[in-house]
Amino acid sequence: MVITIDVVIPSYRLNEKFLLPILELDKPDDCNLNFILIADNPGIKIPESLNPYIDRGVLSIFINETNLGAHTSRNVGIDKSKSEWVLFLDDDIVPDDNILFAYVEAIQKEGEDVPGFVGLTEYPAAQTIFTKGVLSSDILTFFILPRYYTEMAWGVTANILIKRDAIKDIRFSASFPKKGGGEDIDFCLNIISGCSRRFVCLPSAKVTHPWWESKESAYKRFFRWAYGDSLLPNKHPEHRYYNLPNVIEFTFIALMFGIAGYALNIHIPLLPVVCGIFVGEFFGEWLKLGILKKEYSLSRAFISMTIRASNDMGRLIGNISRKRVNGLFERFDYFCDGIHVKHEKTWALVKFVMSLIFIVVFLGILKV
């Protein structure tokens, strides 16, 4: 039986460095493979190096009339797809040589019973303090989770294979930010809601995602992810829960009390309170990394804290911008199984208590 796969790749840059190795991937003899490249840049010039693939009929390129964003561009690819399976890849990943063989073998073994397969997306070894801090923060957990799980409710669209019959008329929602954040989770959860199983994890289908060019852009990325993720609890309330305030929410509340106090001519010592919140968060993160990962590095704890803070800021701004006051303290269970909620609440309590302790300490030092 011949297996048909369409590889859908949204791209703004059409970077030949990444695209050509993807187009040159070896495939099993019993696999009919086509590439659908969505150029999300109306003014883009198609590189001449792609013409041979177009001429051979293995590559189709569609140029968006306006910049739609990666997730809405994937919708274009889904609509153009005619194959039984759709493989979503990012335009800046480096796939393993055997990735198609791994996916085809998985389809042959259990493709009849599953909506799709979540591949493994790895990052190169961390070489800088910042990238080591990124790994310590666990912000990339779901990229590598297929190595540890057998099934998942969703997978990142950098590397995921989904059955066309499971997708049906489901599309990536345009309500999510154009630059990404939460749309892959929403898309996958909508798919498995109509299936009897979750996505099967396939660590042998691996890609490598390079580190971002600068830590500044990475911080914006983490903010953006959470800004989009803040839509998820309302869209999928079965995975919503509430927790103690994180560092950004705690600071926001303190500032609101400070503004109210100023309006009522009541002095509220904001400086020691805010300092206490962040110092408590820092040592809470340091303690967490030490206990869970045996990492007692102050620099890693600081980077991890700032990454989480940028992520928390995105979530807060997302809720405020949508006038969702009830989004305060609202969380989303990304594992979608309820198992890890207690863990999250435990460490939120530890950090909250440590912040309270340092607030008292700083108030005492300043004798406020």
Side-chain angles (χ1 to χ4, degrees), residues 18-32:
F18 292 106
L19 292 177
L20 291 178
I22 295 174
L23 294 171
E24 285 293 335
L25 281 171
D26 289 333
K27 68 178 184 66
D29 294 334
D30 53 355
C31 174
N32 187 343

Side-chain angles (χ1 to χ4, degrees), residues 4 8 16 26 30-31 47 55 83 92 145 167 245 263 284 286 290 299 363:
T4 59
V8 173
E16 299 163 83
D26 289 333
D30 53 355
C31 174
D55 295 340
S83 295
D92 56 352
L145 207 59
I167 296 175
W286 178 78
S299 60
L363 287 175

Side-chain angles (χ1 to χ4, degrees), residues 218-256:
Y219 278 115
K220 293 178 183 177
R221 187 182 304 270
F222 303 140
F223 174 96
R224 191 173 67 241
W225 285 354
Y227 182 88
D229 286 355
S230 63
L231 288 166
L232 293 171
N234 206 36
K235 287 178 173 289
H236 303 278
E238 68 274 17
H239 302 304
R240 174 170 53 197
Y241 70 98
Y242 290 88
N243 208 346
L244 288 167
N246 57 45
V247 62
I248 298 300
E249 292 169 336
F250 204 169
T251 303
F252 175 74
I253 292 169
L255 293 176
M256 291 300 100

Side-chain angles (χ1 to χ4, degrees), residues 196-212:
S196 58
R197 287 185 66 181
R198 294 185 169 200
F199 296 96
V200 170
C201 295
L202 193 63
S204 58
K206 188 179 81 170
V207 304
T208 300
H209 196 300
W211 290 107
W212 305 285

Side-chain angles (χ1 to χ4, degrees), residues 173-184:
S173 173
S175 62
F176 289 90
K178 184 185 293 188
K179 291 188 176 181
E183 78 286 345
D184 46 1

Side-chain angles (χ1 to χ4, degrees), residues 118-132:
V118 180
L120 177 66
T121 302
E122 289 190 319
Y123 279 75
Q127 301 293 333
T128 66
I129 292 176
F130 177 73
T131 53
K132 290 176 181 177

Side-chain angles (χ1 to χ4, degrees), residues 59-80:
L59 171 65
S60 300
I61 300 179
F62 301 92
I63 303 176
N64 292 336
E65 295 182 0
T66 59
N67 176 245
L68 300 177
H71 61 298
T72 312
S73 294
R74 289 189 179 96
N75 289 341
V76 176
I78 294 171
D79 291 337
K80 301 296 183 181

